């Protein structure tokens, strides 16, 4: 494979809710035949991925994502002029609408992406879950799109039963047991992620997730499925095991076929104690547990790069029974590296001896 | 083990036992069963432990096709009365079906 330069976003890696960027970089680094450069893009000078020399060749800070803003695009142009990356893998939900709208500009710069269209992103919005469930042939939990906290004072009269899940439009979810907790969660989530806030009935059971890459014509490449075995306080996977669940696979294939999904995705479902499945959401990017795709014999980030570079993608059946366990550790950096990020907005690593 | 009980007519057992034994062979075959009784179901991600007897029964059930005289084979091989075997099998198969979600 030619020597590619790939930019990857989302290098935040807080233990309770890590971004997928570092795992994507790790997959590319371990991919057979990949000997390219990787440019890490992130939003906070304390994102751990900015300091890990084994991962990126250079790292840069971006202004917070809103690609319509001139500032964001200008910064991207500046980094591109310096690093000449040809491929971009966005790893955060909030980045996707902007990058999808800016396809023309990115193309002019010579930056290839393989991401969902704006219509596909609209279809997977959390406030469109019921429609999505119909496409998948799967039930969905009762869901409401809420813009006023007073909803929680009246909801029990409308047969909503606590506990409920209060979700941000992009991220975050809190389980609440009563109207008071619900109001607190509503205000906290709205303050961080804006309106509307999504309210869902809580499905008790086991969570199963699938990740794959859609080819934009209705086919999913190399699906990997896992069951969460342990979660963080935020409900993010801390340990899991690879599985092959026919119901989840069938629903995901239907979604890909109906939506003609383009790019990475994660499908989240719950299986209740009676064996009923509920579609919880679709994320338009790789999940933070994407390294399991390497653990099960494939490499979905590499498959994405192959699609972006018009290279054939080999079909790989993911192995079941592979366990992954996340861990938190520290890296040591010099204050001058921190200074480079804060003052210059980026830095390069000498990886010749790595 | 290794006590020979006289064969018992299948009809003498609780019909529920025959019903519970009708597990899809594909479902049983998918189970990864280790020699020490650790069982992993790759469809659900569940794992559980079987004791020595449970492991033997599970392995016999995984054999394709399951022998028609499955119950009498157990009676032949184990020092157990037909009633106790029936009771233990009902409990084991109920638990297995619960784990398998079938």
């Amino acid at each position: 494979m030619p020597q590619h330069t790939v930019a990857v976003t989302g290098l935040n890696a807080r233990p309770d809710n890590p971004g997928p960027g570092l795992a994507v970089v790790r997959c590319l680094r371990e991919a057979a035949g990949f000997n390219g450069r990787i440019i890490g893009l992130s939003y906070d000078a304390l994102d751990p991925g900015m300091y890990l020399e084994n991962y990126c060749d250079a790292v840069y800070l971006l202004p917070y994502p809103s690609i319509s803003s001139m500032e964001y695009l200008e910064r991207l142009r500046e980094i591109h002029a310096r690093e000449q990356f040809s491929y971009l893998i966005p790893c955060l939900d909030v980045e996707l609408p902007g990058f999808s709208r800016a396809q023309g500009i990115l193309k002019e710069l010579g930056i290839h992406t393989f991401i969902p269209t704006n219509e596909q992103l609209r279809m997977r919005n959390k406030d469109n879950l019921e429609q999505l469930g119909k496409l998948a042939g799967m039930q969905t939990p009762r869901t409401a799109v809420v813009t006023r906290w007073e909803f929680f004072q009246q909801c029990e009269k409308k047969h909503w039963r606590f506990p409920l899940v209060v979700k941000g439009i992009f991220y975050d979810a809190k389980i609440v047991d009563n109207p008071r907790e619900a109001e607190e969660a509503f205000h906290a989530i709205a303050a961080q992620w804006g309106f509307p806030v999504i309210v869902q009935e809580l499905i008790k059971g086991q969570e199963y997730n699938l990740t794959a890459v859609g080819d934009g014509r209705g086919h999913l490449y190399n699906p990997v499925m896992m069951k969460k075995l342990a979660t963080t306080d935020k409900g993010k996977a801390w340990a899991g095991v690879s599985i092959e669940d026919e119901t989840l696979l069938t629903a995901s294939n239907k979604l890909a076929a109906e939506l003609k999904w383009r790019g990475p995705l994660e499908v989240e479902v719950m299986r209740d104690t009676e064996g009923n499945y509920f579609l919880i959401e679709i994320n338009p990017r790789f999940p933070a547990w994407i390294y399991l795709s390497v653990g099960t014999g494939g490499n979905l980030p590499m498959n994405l790069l192959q699609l972006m570079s018009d290279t054939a993608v080999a079909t790989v059946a993911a192995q079941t029974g592979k366990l992954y366990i996340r861990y938190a550790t520290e890296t040591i950096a010099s204050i001058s590296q921190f200074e480079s990020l804060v003052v210059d907005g980026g830095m390069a690593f000498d990886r010749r001896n790595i | 083990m290794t006590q020979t009980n006289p064969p018992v007519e299948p009809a003498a057992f609780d019909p529920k036992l025959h019903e519970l034994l009708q597990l899809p062979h594909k479902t049983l075959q998918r189970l990864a069963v280790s020699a020490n009784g650790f069982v992993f179901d790759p469809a659900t991600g569940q794992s559980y432990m079987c004791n020595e007897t449970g492991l033997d029964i599970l392995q016999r059930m995984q054999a394709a096709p399951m022998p028609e005289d499955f119950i009498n084979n157990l009676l032949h091989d184990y020092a157990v009365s037909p009633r106790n075997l029936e009771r233990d099998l009902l409990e084991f198969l109920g638990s297995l079906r619960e784990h398998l979600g079938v």
Side-chain angles (χ1 to χ4, degrees):
Chain A
M1 198 168 194
Q3 192 171 336
H4 296 305
T5 300
V6 187
V8 179
T9 71
L11 304 185
N12 52 312
R14 289 190 177 191
D16 61 347
N17 189 11
L22 264 182
V24 168
V25 174
R26 189 178 180 201
C27 290
L28 291 176
R29 281 279 174 238
E30 294 187 19
F34 180 83
N35 59 353
R37 299 181 73 246
I38 299 178
I39 311 303
L41 304 175
S42 215
Y43 299 96
D44 191 309
L46 284 178
D47 282 347
M50 306 291 269
Y51 297 91
L52 299 173
E53 299 183 4
N54 288 348
Y55 283 67
C56 296
D57 295 272
V59 291
Y60 293 91
L61 281 174
L62 291 170
Y64 280 100
S66 161
I67 199 114
S68 55
S69 83
M70 293 302 290
E71 192 189 355
Y72 193 98
L73 269 182
E74 202 41 53
R75 178 65 177 147
L76 207 62
R77 278 183 209 275
E78 194 180 299
I79 298 167
H80 182 258
R82 194 178 300 182
E83 300 292 348
Q84 294 296 308
F85 55 89
S86 310
Y87 304 95
L88 172 64
I89 304 180
C91 289
L92 304 177
D93 297 22
V94 72
E95 298 168 334
L96 268 300
F99 281 131
S100 190
R101 281 195 301 272
Q103 286 295 294
I105 298 169
L106 295 174
K107 210 171 177 179
E108 270 175 32
L109 288 171
I111 301 171
H112 300 267
T113 58
F114 203 80
I115 59 176
T117 63
N118 269 309
E119 176 59 14
Q120 288 168 342
L121 290 171
R122 190 190 64 73
M123 285 296 290
R124 59 67 56 183
N125 271 349
K126 292 180 184 182
D127 54 7
N128 195 42
L129 186 64
E130 197 180 334
Q131 178 62 21
L132 218 49
K134 284 178 186 158
L135 294 181
M138 196 176 267
Q139 301 176 69
T140 52
R142 188 180 179 193
T143 302
V145 178
V146 176
T147 52
R148 296 172 63 85
W149 63 269
E150 289 88 344
F151 170 87
F152 299 104
Q153 292 181 328
Q154 304 295 325
C155 68
E156 282 176 295
K157 286 181 192 158
K158 293 178 181 171
H159 308 294
W160 288 83
R161 294 281 171 265
F162 285 94
L164 299 173
V165 187
V166 181
K167 291 181 163 186
I169 192 75
F170 286 116
Y171 295 106
D172 220 350
K174 292 180 198 293
I175 295 171
V176 294
D177 289 315
N178 53 55
R180 186 184 54 77
E181 284 182 16
E183 284 171 34
E184 280 176 20
F186 172 86
H187 290 304
I189 287 173
Q192 189 164 7
W193 301 110
F195 291 102
V197 167
I198 311 296
V199 178
Q200 252 173 21
E201 66 178 8
L202 179 72
I203 306 293
K204 288 181 180 162
Q206 303 284 344
E207 183 172 342
Y208 297 92
N209 295 349
L210 173 147
T211 186
V213 176
D215 68 354
R217 296 189 296 272
H219 173 69
L220 279 185
Y221 277 109
N222 299 334
V224 178
M225 289 168 266
M226 72 97 173
K227 178 196 172 217
K228 287 184 183 179
L229 294 179
T231 58
T232 68
D233 289 348
K234 286 186 185 290
K236 304 296 169 186
W238 189 259
V241 63
S242 63
I243 58 164
E244 186 173 345
D245 183 299
E246 278 181 31
T247 308
L248 171 57
L249 183 60
T250 303
S252 304
N253 280 331
K254 275 187 190 168
L255 281 170
E258 291 285 343
L259 298 173
K260 305 237 177 321
W261 191 264
R262 188 171 191 271
L265 91 168
E266 181 192 26
V267 181
E268 298 185 1
V269 302
M270 290 293 290
R271 184 177 185 266
D272 73 9
T273 44
E274 269 81 55
N276 302 308
Y277 284 76
F278 294 83
L279 180 66
I280 301 298
E281 65 182 14
I282 295 184
N283 293 312
R285 45 144 179 91
F286 287 126
W289 54 271
I290 190 62
Y291 188 67
L292 188 61
S293 78
V294 172
T296 54
N299 194 322
L300 282 166
M302 189 60 184
N303 296 153
L304 179 68
L305 185 57
Q306 288 162 336
L307 280 172
M308 286 195 281
S309 57
D310 289 326
T311 310
V313 178
T315 299
V316 180
Q319 298 155 17
T320 57
K322 294 289 180 184
L323 204 69
Y324 78 92
I325 305 156
R326 196 167 281 158
Y327 63 96
T329 189
E330 296 81 29
T331 189
I332 303 298
S334 71
I335 196 67
S336 63
Q337 289 180 306
F338 180 64
E339 179 190 334
S340 294
L341 288 176
V342 173
V343 177
D344 305 327
M347 63 180 169
F349 297 113
D350 184 355
R351 299 188 71 259
R352 279 174 301 185
N353 297 320
I354 293 175
Chain B
M1 201 101 179
T2 64
Q3 175 185 312
T4 304
N5 283 300
V8 176
E9 281 300 311
F13 289 105
D14 186 338
K16 192 160 184 250
L17 184 56
H18 297 293
E19 195 184 305
L20 286 176
L21 273 170
Q22 299 307 310
L23 274 164
H25 195 252
K26 196 177 153 198
T27 306
L28 289 167
Q29 282 286 297
R30 79 185 182 208
L31 298 176
V33 184
S34 77
N36 59 12
F38 184 83
V39 182
F40 172 69
D41 184 347
T44 64
Q46 304 278 13
S47 53
Y48 32 93
M49 286 296 295
C50 278
N51 63 17
E52 195 182 336
T53 312
L55 175 62
D56 179 45
I57 293 171
L58 190 53
Q59 285 172 334
R60 288 175 191 233
M61 290 175 72
Q62 282 188 309
M66 198 196 298
E68 277 182 25
D69 47 1
F70 175 80
I71 299 173
N72 270 317
N73 284 349
L74 290 173
L75 272 176
H76 177 271
D77 294 344
Y78 283 92
V80 62
S81 70
R83 284 303 132 219
N84 283 350
L85 177 69
E86 179 184 83
R87 185 198 62 205
D88 291 350
L89 265 184
L90 281 170
E91 188 185 338
F92 177 75
L93 292 171
S95 169
L96 182 62
R97 279 179 171 267
E98 198 175 306
H99 282 303
L100 295 174
V102 293

